[in-house]
Amino acid sequence: MHIGRLLRLIGFAALGLIFILLGGGFLTFVHRMNSYPAGSRVEADGIVVLTGGAQRIAEAAELLSHGRAKRMLITGVNLRTSREQIVALNTELTPLVDCCVDLDYRARNTIGNAIGARRWILQNGFGSVIVVTSNYHMPRTLVELANAVPGVKLVPYAVEHAPTDRWWHDPGTARLLFTEYVKYLAASLRTVVETDPEHSRMAVVVGGRKPALKGPMPVETD
């Protein structure tokens, strides 16, 4: 067999294997979303809720109000959102906001969420946290948090579920899941070579900016 043809066959075989592995990984990624509990009886030292949807804070507030954790961190809060506005939308927090709820305005993305969570977890000496976010965002969130706080038990609590049954019939859902899968792969690869998210060069290159603001906590505004 001509050497050029052999090399082409090897190249095609390698590409085919890569596509099979990526496709299998994607199907595993989608299947994993169904394994995250929601509505079950979870407990931990603290709760970390990542902003991105109103249901996330509402579900986390209910967990806190039922004594499932001692304290809650809402990370990635918009600079224009005040504590009073959050409480007005989540009345379960009214008796707890002054004692047990912390807001993180520094995070700009999921890596920034992990940085803020690490500072908060270490400050409070927590050994376990309930992680509240959407089911499609959970895999990447757990990767980032596991990298930021190794040894801390992470208890996933998924809300805002993207449909995983017959997702291929909805282009919007397929695009969302595939995009999150690519981000999940990137996070998984990055955390292999970078153990400190606060000094992640790759995060700056990909995101175009630091993942978290530095300096004192921004002042809450009405």
Side-chain angles (χ1 to χ4, degrees):
M1 182 180 292
H2 192 275
I3 187 65
R5 184 179 179 185
L6 177 62
L7 290 175
R8 284 196 297 272
L9 288 175
I10 292 174
F12 286 137
L15 286 175
L17 180 60
I18 290 173
F19 280 120
I20 291 173
L21 291 175
L22 289 176
F26 176 69
L27 294 178
T28 301
F29 173 82
V30 173
H31 178 72
R32 185 183 304 171
M33 294 180 192
N34 296 321
S35 67
Y36 299 127
S40 59
R41 186 168 182 79
V42 294
E43 292 185 356
D45 294 331
I47 300 171
V48 174
V49 52
L50 287 74
T51 55
Q55 187 181 350
R56 301 181 189 182
I57 297 178
E59 292 277 356
E62 186 172 353
L63 290 173
L64 185 65
S65 65
H66 283 80
R68 303 293 181 83
K70 306 170 188 175
R71 198 170 189 89
M72 180 172 80
L73 171 69
I74 306 174
T75 176
V77 180
N78 190 290
L79 291 172
R80 297 183 179 86
T81 303
S82 69
R83 183 180 295 267
E84 290 74 20
Q85 289 172 324
I86 292 176
V87 174
L89 294 173
N90 304 276
T91 55
E92 300 94 337
L93 293 177
T94 302
L96 300 168
V97 66
D98 292 330
C99 72
C100 309
V101 179
D102 300 303
L103 306 183
D104 173 26
Y105 288 90
R106 297 187 180 99
R108 294 170 160 178
N109 51 33
T110 305
I111 303 175
N113 293 141
I115 293 171
R118 177 170 71 175
R119 296 169 180 168
W120 181 78
I121 290 169
L122 293 177
Q123 178 182 352
N124 288 281
F126 289 158
S128 60
V129 293
I130 300 169
V131 182
V132 181
T133 187
S134 60
N135 68 334
Y136 56 87
H137 188 224
M138 186 67 75
R140 180 159 56 102
T141 300
L142 294 178
V143 166
E144 295 292 0
L145 284 174
N147 182 57
V149 284
V152 173
K153 181 180 179 181
L154 306 175
V155 182
Y157 192 88
V159 300
E160 298 173 346
H161 292 261
T164 57
D165 184 28
R166 299 175 66 84
W167 52 266
W168 55 90
H169 286 278
D170 184 349
T173 299
R175 183 167 53 253
L176 171 65
L177 296 180
F178 183 75
T179 299
E180 269 301 319
Y181 175 60
V182 171
K183 291 180 179 180
Y184 164 74
L185 288 179
S188 299
L189 292 173
R190 183 186 59 77
T191 54
V192 170
V193 297
E194 293 185 337
T195 57
D196 186 356
E198 298 204 42
H199 300 90
S200 171
R201 295 182 179 179
M202 292 176 65
V204 175
V205 171
V206 174
R209 58 181 180 175
K210 291 283 187 180
L213 295 170
K214 291 186 177 180
M217 183 73 73
V219 179
E220 298 172 8
T221 58
D222 294 328

